[in-house]
Amino acid sequence: MSSTGSTPQETVERALALSRTDGCVVIADESSGANLRWAGNTLTTNGVTRSRRLTVIAIAGDSTGMVSRAGVTPDQVEDLVRAAERAAEESGPAEDAAPLIDAAQAGSGGAWDDPAAETSVGVFEGFAPALGEAFAAAQDDSHLLYGFAIHEMNSTFVGTSAGLRLRSDEPTGKFELNAKTSDMGRSAWAGTGTPDFRDVDVAAMSAGLAKRLKWGERRVGLPAGRYETLLPPGAVSDLMMYMYWSAGARDAQDGRTVFSRPGGGTRVGDTLSNLPLRLHSDPRAPGLECTPFVVAHASGRESSIFDNGLALNPVDWISEGRLAALPQTRQSAALTGLPLTPGVDNLLMEVPGATATLDEMVASTRRGLLLTCLWYIREVDPQSLLLTGLTRDGVYLVEDGEVVGEVNNFRFNESPVGLLSRLKEAGRTERCLSREWSDYFTRTAMPSLRVADFNMSTVSKAN
């Protein structure tokens, strides 16, 4: 039972029982979090957080009203339901109106009656000693470690007036580590997502950063231009996630995006990559598991409250280099005539037969750049999905298979869609973390990619 006096399941049932409209969807989110933070080889803070939120969606004919509030107590549930009903009465018809999902269409989840899952600082039991050893090694090597580890457990309970009762427990963890020289003149970054911190190799990540700081002892100035470039898995996820978020079928059908076909329709079926790569999502992918049914707190161009509870299945977005599907709702599937493929909260890329590590790809490079990560990514042109952003925490020059020094940072201009057509090589797929988008999306597995001519458009003064 939560501090507000009732379980989330009881709260969902109470809200549904109080509903007076034609339909109702109730979503109860229970969250707990634990964190560690450190600076200068010293642990600085740790803590635990808890929160709960209740969302009520009232359906009156083809109109809907949604109200969401945090910390709702049992005696406040009726006020929330009535507020949602008033909002439905005052709104116009919903363009995505449809019957609520029934049992035949619904996904599967955990046991409805079980208590909400929780996390605690205990999740760091094996991780914290390894972190302490990394602090000692960094101190001996005269550099400093900064960063944080965060673990969250989110339990989501979805109930509808159509009889659905679904719940999902979703653990989400991330670890970010930044190494700096004692004079703060050079830095390097590494990060990873994790469900429970048992799979995090702190020693290996810290040693990798120490090696990069050594690379930076020699500085090389380079001009803007197009360079053969090695993107590590995290930098690949920076770009592929933006592409995924921009791939909504409704916008493509309406001619708004890079996935719109000139003259009408979408580009599903078009070849995007010269390599037979696969970009896909699967709510049950090992180590990247996520909620296996739709949870939509509000409707939008890529979400529909009427789809709450809809089963999420494995889906290939790109298959053998060809665009195979776009994220969409039941409404957009009817408009496009394409199969119903809702978005999933993970993203994986792989190329059949690709086994090279990033180190092996460096060793086979005659001359090129090795990136660490990208940041401050912004969209320039939706029609081509041209993005701009900056490199960060280490760009290295590779010559004859060896890193020979650190170069200046750059501003880049690239389209992730255009980039796929210019790939020279892909490495093995690894669990990774996007530096830019890790606050929103942590479940990614990507290969390193060799791009023939990555566009470093200008030299950046950022350090």
Side-chain angles (χ1 to χ4, degrees), residues 216 218-222 367 395 397 399 404-408 410:
R218 177 175 182 245
R219 304 288 295 205
V220 180
L222 287 181
R367 189 173 193 271
V395 181
L397 178 62
E399 291 182 336
V404 298
E406 182 176 355
V407 307
N408 42 271
F410 294 96

Side-chain angles (χ1 to χ4, degrees), residues 35-38 127 146-150 174-177 197 438-439:
N35 65 82
L36 301 176
R37 298 181 184 275
W38 54 91
F127 170 85
Y146 296 77
F148 57 86
I150 296 174
K174 64 176 179 177
F175 168 48
E176 297 197 29
L177 188 64
F197 284 85
S438 63
D439 286 348

Side-chain angles (χ1 to χ4, degrees), residues 88-107:
E89 292 170 359
E90 295 167 359
S91 68
E95 62 177 5
D96 60 331
L100 293 175
I101 297 299
D102 59 29
Q105 302 165 299

Side-chain angles (χ1 to χ4, degrees), residues 58-413:
I59 303 169
D62 286 343
S63 299
T64 65
M66 184 278 290
V67 178
S68 184
R69 293 177 187 164
V72 176
T73 59
D75 60 351
Q76 295 172 330
V77 173
E78 184 168 6
D79 290 342
L80 194 67
V81 173
R82 299 294 168 248
E85 291 173 345
R86 288 193 297 273
E89 292 170 359
E90 295 167 359
S91 68
E95 62 177 5
D96 60 331
L100 293 175
I101 297 299
D102 59 29
Q105 302 165 299
S108 59
W112 174 261
D113 293 327
D114 286 352
E118 295 183 352
T119 191
S120 70
V121 292
V123 75
F124 303 123
E125 181 179 6
F127 170 85
L131 186 63
E133 292 173 4
F135 290 163
Q139 192 72 34
D140 291 343
D141 200 34
S142 300
H143 66 261
L144 305 170
L145 295 180
Y146 296 77
F148 57 86
I150 296 174
H151 191 258
E152 297 175 342
M153 179 65 76
N154 300 302
S155 292
T156 300
F157 300 81
V158 177
T160 75
S161 55
L164 285 191
R165 300 293 186 274
L166 293 172
R167 68 90 56 84
S168 173
D169 299 315
E170 193 174 74
T172 302
K174 64 176 179 177
F175 168 48
E176 297 197 29
L177 188 64
N178 191 280
K180 298 180 183 294
T181 54
S182 57
D183 63 358
M184 299 294 176
R186 302 190 305 277
S187 66
W189 176 90
T192 187
T194 175
D196 54 19
F197 284 85
R198 295 177 184 176
D199 57 348
V200 176
D201 191 338
V202 179
M205 292 176 68
S206 180
L209 295 182
K211 180 170 69 172
R212 288 177 176 247
L213 291 180
K214 294 288 186 184
W215 289 344
E217 290 177 353
R218 177 175 182 245
R219 304 288 295 205
V220 180
L222 287 181
R226 290 186 175 271
Y227 293 90
E228 180 173 304
T229 300
L230 295 174
L231 300 174
V236 174
S237 69
D238 285 328
L239 297 173
M240 293 302 108
M241 284 168 51
Y242 201 102
M243 184 180 76
Y244 181 44
W245 289 338
S246 304
R250 176 70 182 274
D251 284 344
Q253 181 73 14
D254 290 349
R256 299 184 178 194
T257 76
V258 68
F259 299 107
S260 304
R261 186 180 300 281
T266 74
R267 292 180 59 192
V268 169
D270 284 8
T271 296
L272 299 183
S273 177
N274 55 318
L275 297 182
L277 67 82
R278 181 188 183 206
L279 185 70
H280 62 109
S281 297
D282 181 352
R284 294 175 176 82
L288 299 171
E289 295 90 347
C290 58
T291 299
F293 53 85
V294 170
V295 179
H297 294 79
S299 288
R301 296 186 69 83
E302 296 174 35
S303 64
S304 171
I305 61 95
F306 296 94
D307 289 350
N308 270 296
L310 180 67
L312 295 177
N313 299 307
V315 56
D316 282 8
W317 308 111
I318 300 175
S319 178
E320 297 183 343
R322 292 180 179 270
L323 183 63
L326 297 169
Q328 59 183 334
T329 64
R330 285 186 292 169
Q331 181 208 15
S332 65
L335 293 172
T336 62
L338 296 171
L340 174 57
T341 48
V344 180
D345 197 27
N346 62 24
L347 192 64
L348 304 88
M349 179 190 284
E350 56 207 29
V351 174
T355 60
T357 65
L358 182 57
D359 285 345
E360 290 169 340
M361 293 173 71
V362 168
S364 64
T365 301
R366 189 183 68 81
R367 189 173 193 271
L369 299 180
L370 169 63
L371 302 189
T372 297
C373 56
L374 307 174
W375 73 299
Y376 208 68
I377 299 172
R378 299 294 184 267
E379 186 175 295
V380 177
D381 176 23
Q383 293 297 325
S384 63
L385 202 61
L386 179 64
L387 306 179
T388 190
L390 300 171
T391 61
R392 185 176 186 181
D393 285 323
V395 181
Y396 306 97
L397 178 62
V398 181
E399 291 182 336
D400 298 324
E402 294 185 356
V403 175
V404 298
E406 182 176 355
V407 307
N408 42 271
N409 279 306
F410 294 96
R411 173 169 292 281
F412 70 87
N413 284 323

